[in-house]
Amino acid sequence: MSRKKKKVPEINASSMADISFLLLIFFLVTTTMDTDSGITRRLPPPIENPDMDVKVKERNILNVMINKYDKLMVNGKPGDVSTLKDITKEFITPKPYDEKAPEVETKEIELIGSFMTNKGVVSLKNDRGTSYMMYIAVQNELAKAFNELREEVAMRYFQQHYADITDKDKLDAVNKAVPVRISEAEPEEIK
């Protein structure tokens, strides 16, 4: 006797595609994507005459260098990341009567009035072998110095923390009073 094989009932799979599609749309709509946030810097405007040498007074530059061993040099002297913020803040704070400090200029800033700004620039240079951790640590300390000075200006003129200011005009005024001036050189071999 031959045995008849039992027929396996077929499952209607036409609705499976619809369900899969609906699930896909559900997850796409409800999922939030993390956006990468980087270090924000404004690029300088293009130089009109690139052949012309621009002379910057030595007193207007704070040289920060990181070698391939993650050793920090600040104005040619060994430095430490833990003190970099204070050194930078001291450098960018306007001191009109100090001949060794960076030059200052008086600007008329809307909502603030006449304000003395610093012409100093932080020049950051790193070696190709510098670790990302050290590079980011230095960037963070430099940013903290500028942010602390901005916080002081915001509290002094607007009685608000810099992070709490929502008025665009007030933010612009504080940013003009304390512009972030960080110049980064192309990485190279630093001894």
Side-chain angles (χ1 to χ4, degrees):
M1 280 209 270
S2 69
R3 286 185 149 172
K4 288 188 180 182
K5 290 188 179 181
K6 280 187 178 180
K7 277 190 169 183
V8 179
E10 290 184 22
I11 299 174
N12 185 359
S14 63
S15 63
M16 291 292 264
D18 294 337
I19 293 171
S20 300
F21 184 68
L22 287 173
L23 282 173
L24 177 66
I25 288 178
F26 172 77
F27 285 115
L28 285 174
V29 170
T30 59
T31 304
T32 58
M33 300 291 178
D34 290 335
T35 56
D36 291 336
S37 59
I39 300 170
T40 56
R41 295 284 181 262
R42 184 188 310 177
L43 294 174
I47 300 172
E48 292 177 13
N49 296 329
D51 297 335
M52 194 172 87
D53 284 340
V54 178
K55 298 286 183 189
V56 179
K57 293 183 180 177
E58 196 63 37
R59 75 184 227 183
N60 290 342
I61 300 174
L62 177 68
N63 288 303
V64 178
M65 294 191 288
I66 315 166
N67 68 12
K68 64 183 172 186
Y69 305 109
D70 290 344
K71 300 293 181 195
L72 189 66
M73 297 286 283
V74 181
N75 279 342
K77 298 175 186 164
D80 192 286
V81 176
S82 63
T83 60
L84 183 60
K85 176 190 63 111
D86 295 328
I87 292 169
T88 305
K89 188 175 173 187
E90 178 70 22
F91 175 77
I92 60 176
T93 302
K95 295 177 211 62
Y97 304 110
D98 188 349
E99 292 294 321
K100 294 180 181 177
E103 296 174 305
V104 295
E105 65 181 334
T106 304
K107 288 183 178 179
E108 199 61 38
I109 300 174
E110 193 174 329
L111 299 179
I112 291 180
S114 183
F115 191 84
M116 195 173 300
T117 61
N118 186 319
K119 288 184 172 183
V121 176
V122 178
S123 174
L124 177 61
K125 194 178 222 181
N126 62 292
D127 191 279
R128 293 185 195 281
T130 302
S131 71
Y132 286 116
M133 246 172 70
M134 181 62 169
Y135 177 77
I136 295 299
V138 168
Q139 285 281 358
N140 285 340
E141 293 303 308
L142 294 176
K144 281 181 196 175
F146 284 96
N147 287 339
E148 279 187 16
L149 210 52
R150 284 179 170 177
E151 176 73 15
E152 291 172 13
V153 170
M155 289 302 289
R156 182 169 152 202
Y157 289 95
F158 305 117
Q159 294 73 43
Q160 283 183 289
H161 293 286
Y162 179 70
D164 295 339
I165 297 176
T166 55
D167 183 358
K168 185 182 179 324
D169 292 334
K170 288 180 181 179
L171 272 177
D172 287 346
V174 174
N175 291 341
K176 285 178 185 173
V178 185
V180 176
R181 291 188 176 124
I182 299 176
S183 168
E184 288 192 57
E186 189 71 28
E188 60 180 49
E189 296 291 324
I190 299 174
K191 305 259 188 235

